[in-house]
Every structure is written in structure tokens, then in C-alpha cells.
Amino acid sequence: MERLVFLLSTGLARGAVLALFALSLVIVYRAARAVNFAQAAMAIVPVYVAFAVTAASGSYWFGLASALVVGALLGAVVERWLLRLVPQDNPLPGIIVAIGLVMVLQAGLAIAFGPDHRPVHAPFSQRPFEIAGVGVLSPYDLFVLVVAAVVMGALAILFNRTTIGLQLRAAAFAPETSRLLGVRVPRMVTLGWMLSIATAALAALLLVPTGLGLDPHAADVLFVNAFAAAVIGGLDSPVGALVAGLVVGVLASLVTGYASAATAPLAVLALLTVVLLVRPHGLFAAREARTA
Amino acid sequence: MSTLTIEKLTVGYGDGAPVLDGLELEVPDGAVVALLGANGAGKTTLLRSLMGLVPARDGRVLLDGADLTDLSTEDRVRRGLGLVPEGRSVVVELTVAENLRLGALWKKGRKNKGPAREAAVGQMYELFEPLARRRDAAGHTLSGGERQMLALARALVGEPDVLLLDEPSLGLAPLVVAQLLGVLRDQAAATGLTVLLAEQNVTGALSVADRGVVLSLGEVVADRPAAELAADPALRHAYLGF
Ligand SMILES: Nc1ncnc2c1ncn2[C@@H]1O[C@H](COP(=O)(O)OP(=O)(O)O)[C@@H](O)[C@H]1O
Ligand SMILES: [Mg+2]
């Protein structure tokens, strides 16, 4: 029982990070109609910057802010000066360019900072609170949950309650119609990339203190699990990413606790397979449009 | 509110023969002009080219004398040109209200601010009763008639000076067509909106237009007052096939 409570609560905190990263994949999928296979590498670059800023300034918060800014800038630069130059009529060239970008970014980080793990300190204690003798969330887990909730809330408001969000959604669903209504679609695509990479960078930044530390591949496993969560949720659905992210996080935590860490990826894969067998477009995919 | 002038417009796809070849047409301020022609005559190509969605090989498009030729689609819209494309172009993932708000965002070179925008959307609900009842429904749940109504309302709410429409009556019941064209005519009369209406529904189009232009093989082959065109069986027979 104690163990279950502990595993559930850590699973929730890991799931929140997964959900955030899955959400970043959904945002970029909506903007670009493509899965960004370079998301992990693009997310980890701003984390290195945050690490350097925190080391130099002594402030975690400066580091966090710089990760968001650098993430947004990186998203804009990659979209505007790299992916926009790639032929769009089929997805393959974009995927190949993304894989190349992963190699360049990760090799560049290894050259600049060395390939070793760098220990990263969490801004809050990672020792679990004890309630009635049962270890539950740590202060850092709580911080992660709060940050994830705030960011998701802010993104939900941005997309659903503002005119920028309306234009972002319209541009993603119907680019030509949007242009006919005066929406600057290319600018919306760039903005989508900026939001996506900033969100992914934040997720990676929240993740590193709970893992082995910072290295150029620190977000790779996060990407794989978040990609699974995004597909389970329906790739196009922010709510799906949130729910599936939490479910995958809790599942991985339970399987790690009761079986072994090596079994967790298999469990995630099994869940993904079952969901796709039952609902090929994911759990929260948009319903088919009426045609008559 | 504005005059649309088309000078020597030549448009084609790929390196095929031009679909429009040196087309000349003027749609004067406040006029409602029906653009007629059989399937494949080039109506859609002309309207899309006017919006900058299909590049012109040659020629110019002027709005009140200002050259639009080098402007992007978005900028043409912001100059006061609007298009209701063929096929009920509602954004099906958005609600009725969101589609209308989207249409009201950009208006003649400036962003439409909150209260003014909501007021403009409210006017459309008065004009199109069925939309008011379904304002929170997603676009994909609307019927064909409701979708075309929404597409028209969404174009009108941005208050364009010149509105282009591509076969709005296609596939709709006669009653719905009559209602849509009626609203269009009333709006044009009330606001001085300039309209270029591409239609295969010749009778419907000529009943709301002051002038009819017949397009055939990329050229204007007839340009007459609507009543005259409707009454001329020889012309109808030659170019419109009935
Ligand atoms: N995207 C396209 N690519 C190549 N040819 C096209 C394209 N769209 C239209 N055409 C050709 O242009 C001609 C005019 O078509 P269109 O403008 O759609 O006519 P209308 O709207 O009057 O029926 C037709 O011969 C058609 O085959
Ligand atoms: Mg057509």
C-alpha cells in the first residue's frame, strides 16, 4: 500500500513532465503537420544554456527563464532558416533534415561541454514528504506538478481564449482559408515552433534533476515516452497529450516499482499497441468531419 | 466601395497553355457582376488569381487604382479584397462563433479590436438566424446550407470592399440558394459592396446581378446588363449551354 501510494505519486510527477513534452509535440504537429524527431535535441540545448546561466548567476529562476527564451529562439531559427527551405510535398526530406539536426546539435553539445553527465541540483529537496509514515511527493515533485499545471493552463488560455490562439489553430487546420481571412500563416507556423520548443525545453529542464544529470542525450528517453503518449492521445489533441502523458508516467512508475526499470518501456509499448489496435487515430483524435 | 480592375491578366498552371489569356475586366464601385461560364471556363482560376492564390504570368490587378499584383493573399485581404472559395470553406474544427471571429479579425489594413469585432459578429447573427442558434456548434456538424451561410457571413463580417464568390449555390437546395443570394443582394445594396459572383446557376446569378460577364476559353466573350443577358436565348445557348 505504501509502495503503491509512493509509486502513484512519483508517477504523477514524471507523468506531468511527459505530458508537457507530449504537449510540445502536439503543438508542433499542429503547426507543421509533422512529428519533430529533433525535439529532444532541440529541447536539451536550452537546458545547457539554463545550466550555464544558473551556474553564472547563482539563480535557478534566471536559468529557467533563459531556457524558455532560448527554446523559443531555437524553434524560430530552425523553422525559419532550416525547415522552411526543405520541400514540403512529402514528409521524408523534413524527417531526414531533423535527424541530421539531432546529430549536429548533440555532437555540438558534446564538443562544447564534453560528453559526460553533469550533476544538476534541483531547486527544491527531492526527499519525499511523509504522510502517516508513507513517503509521497517530494517538494521538487510538487514544484514540477505546479509548473506543469500553470504552463498547460497558460497554453490552454492562449490557444482557446485569445485571437493569436484562434489564428494559430485556424492556420494549422486550414492554411489556405486562413490566408483568405488575412491570417499570416507562415508567421503562425513560426510561432507554433517557438511555443513548442520552449515547452519542450521546460519539460527537459524539469526532468534532468530527477535523472542521471545533464548530457546531450538526457531528453532522448523522455522524447520516446512522450511521443508514445502523444500518439496514444491522438497527436492532434492537447487534452489527449495531457491525459496520456499522466497515464504513461504512472504506468512506467508502477511497472518500474513492481517489476523492473527494464520492463517499463515494454509496458509503454504494449499500451501504445493496444490503444492503436482499438483506436487507430488515438484516444482523443478529432471525430470524422461530416461530409454531407 | 471600390473598383476592381483587371488588366491583361494571363494565368496558367505549370507550363501548360494559359487558362486565362490577356483577360480585361472592370468591376465598378458598388456593382454586382455575375461571372458566368461553363465548367472549366476559368472562373475559379480567375478568382483565385485575383486573391494571389494562383500566380499571374502577366497583367495587373488594381483595387481603386492601387496595384495588388505583388501582394500576398493576406495583404490583398487586408486591402479590402475578399473571397468565398468554392466548396463551403468552413474551418470544420472550429465553432461557428470562432469561424466568424476569425473572419472579423482583419479589416481593411487594421486589426479589429474586441468590442467592434463582437458587434460585427452580432450583426451576422441577425442576418443569418440559423447561425445564431448554432453559434457554439463545431463546423463539421453543420449542414451544407449552414456551411455556405457561414462561409458568406464570415466573408461579410470582415467588411471587404470587393467580395468575390465562387459558385456559392453549388449543391444547395433552391430555397437556400434564393436566401443566400437575397442576403448578398441586400448587403450589396445597403453597404455599396462591390461583388463579382461566379456561378453556373445562371438564372440565380443574373437575378441578383446588374451585369453579366461570360467567360469562355479564358476570354470574356460577352459583357451585358444582366436583364439583357437573361433574355437573350441565342447568347445563352452559345455560351451557357441551355
Ligand atoms: N490546379 C490546377 N492545375 C492544373 N490545371 C488546372 C488547375 N485548376 C484548374 N485547372 C484547369 O484550368 C481550367 C479552368 O478551370 P477552373 O478555373 O476551375 O474553371 P471553372 O471554375 O470555370 O469551372 C480547366 O481546364 C482546368 O482543368
Ligand atoms: Mg470553379
Side-chain angles (χ1 to χ4, degrees):
Chain A
M1 184 61 207
E2 295 167 17
R3 186 145 185 210
L4 179 66
V5 172
F6 176 73
L7 291 175
L8 279 179
S9 53
T10 17
L12 218 54
R14 300 290 172 281
V17 173
L18 264 178
L20 210 52
F21 203 92
L23 185 61
S24 80
L25 289 170
V26 169
I27 294 172
V28 83
Y29 179 79
R30 284 185 153 200
R33 287 291 141 195
V35 175
N36 177 25
F37 287 100
Q39 196 86 343
M42 289 175 73
I44 211 69
V45 170
V47 176
Y48 270 89
V49 174
F51 184 82
V53 168
T54 299
S57 68
S59 161
Y60 177 80
W61 306 105
F62 280 148
L64 191 149
S66 65
L68 294 178
V69 172
V70 172
L73 288 177
L74 184 63
V77 167
V78 166
E79 191 277 323
R80 190 73 187 70
W81 284 287
L82 185 64
L83 296 175
R84 198 173 284 188
L85 310 177
V86 176
Q88 308 279 326
D89 45 356
N90 94 57
L92 200 57
I95 292 174
I96 291 170
V97 167
I99 292 171
L101 182 63
V102 171
M103 293 176 177
V104 170
L105 289 178
Q106 290 185 334
L109 287 173
I111 292 168
F113 296 93
D116 310 327
H117 290 294
R118 293 160 166 259
V120 175
H121 298 293
F124 300 98
S125 161
Q126 297 213 58
R127 183 191 300 258
F129 291 117
E130 293 205 0
I131 298 174
V134 181
V136 284
L137 293 174
S138 71
Y140 183 66
D141 289 336
L142 214 54
F143 168 70
V144 167
L145 281 171
V146 169
V147 170
V150 167
V151 169
M152 288 187 203
L155 286 172
I157 290 172
L158 175 72
F159 275 95
N160 295 312
R161 296 267 174 274
T162 69
T163 55
I164 284 285
L166 180 61
Q167 293 180 80
L168 279 165
R169 283 184 294 147
F173 294 134
E176 187 175 289
T177 303
S178 300
R179 294 182 67 198
L180 285 172
L181 298 172
V183 177
R184 296 201 193 280
V185 173
R187 207 172 283 180
M188 292 300 132
V189 174
T190 307
L191 189 57
W193 275 86
M194 295 174 76
L195 287 169
S196 168
I197 305 303
T199 306
L202 179 65
L205 183 72
L206 293 173
L207 172 83
V208 281
T210 66
L212 292 172
L214 183 57
D215 75 286
H217 296 277
D220 289 3
V221 175
L222 176 64
F223 168 74
V224 172
N225 285 330
F227 181 43
V231 172
I232 289 170
L235 254 190
D236 219 352
S237 161
V239 176
L242 170 62
V243 173
L246 291 175
V247 167
V248 169
V250 169
L251 176 73
S253 169
L254 290 178
V255 173
T256 304
Y258 286 114
S260 71
T263 328
L266 293 178
V268 174
L269 192 63
L271 177 66
L272 178 65
T273 311
V274 170
V275 168
L276 290 187
L277 281 175
V278 180
R279 295 208 43 158
H281 296 288
L283 291 179
F284 292 80
R287 263 153 297 157
E288 286 292 306
R290 178 172 165 174
T291 47
Chain B
M1 286 177 269
S2 289
T3 299
L4 179 70
T5 312
I6 302 162
E7 289 179 353
K8 295 195 173 62
L9 190 67
T10 302
V11 184
Y13 297 94
D15 33 55
V19 173
L20 304 176
D21 201 356
L23 186 107
E24 303 262 351
L25 181 66
E26 181 165 291
V27 186
D29 189 6
V32 176
V33 173
L35 179 66
L36 308 171
N39 243 328
K43 303 183 294 296
T44 300
T45 302
L46 172 59
L47 298 190
R48 288 176 62 82
S49 174
L50 293 177
M51 295 308 300
L53 291 170
V54 179
R57 285 186 190 160
D58 197 14
R60 299 199 303 164
V61 178
L62 310 173
L63 189 63
D64 276 338
D67 194 346
L68 301 182
T69 315
D70 294 328
L71 295 185
S72 69
T73 303
E74 300 90 301
D75 284 316
R76 293 181 197 213
V77 171
R78 292 170 189 213
R79 290 290 185 89
L81 202 55
L83 169 68
V84 180
E86 64 184 339
R88 304 160 204 172
S89 61
V90 160
V91 185
V92 294
E93 293 88 349
L94 302 181
T95 65
V96 170
E98 286 172 334
N99 268 285
L100 286 175
R101 221 176 296 140
L102 194 63
L105 276 185
W106 294 103
K107 182 165 135 181
K108 206 80 213 279
R110 64 195 159 83
K111 197 157 181 195
N112 212 354
K113 294 280 180 252
R117 196 168 60 228
E118 294 311 315
V121 170
Q123 279 179 3
M124 287 304 131
Y125 286 141
E126 282 171 28
L127 220 50
F128 298 95
E129 226 291 301
L131 296 182
R133 273 185 277 121
R134 309 216 53 193
R135 60 181 80 191
D136 293 320
H140 68 83
T141 66
L142 300 184
S143 72
E146 288 167 333
R147 283 191 204 192
Q148 195 57 272
M149 217 175 265
L150 180 53
L152 177 58
R154 194 183 56 192
L156 290 174
V157 78
E159 295 178 20
D161 292 337
V162 177
L163 183 60
L164 317 173
L165 298 104
D166 197 352
E167 302 206 36
S169 72
L170 197 69
L172 297 182
L175 209 63
V176 181
V177 173
Q179 190 191 355
L180 278 172
L181 293 180
V183 170
L184 183 65
R185 182 191 47 216
D186 295 347
Q187 279 295 301
T191 63
L193 175 68
T194 308
V195 175
L196 182 59
L197 170 65
E199 267 297 349
Q200 297 218 50
N201 174 358
V202 176
T203 324
L206 289 179
S207 73
V208 298
D210 346 293
R211 206 175 115 209
V213 171
V214 181
L215 207 61
S216 179
L217 298 174
E219 285 175 43
V220 174
V221 291
D223 186 342
R224 306 260 193 94
E228 205 177 294
L229 204 55
D232 184 341
L235 203 72
R236 274 203 336 238
H237 196 73
Y239 296 111
L240 303 171
F242 77 103

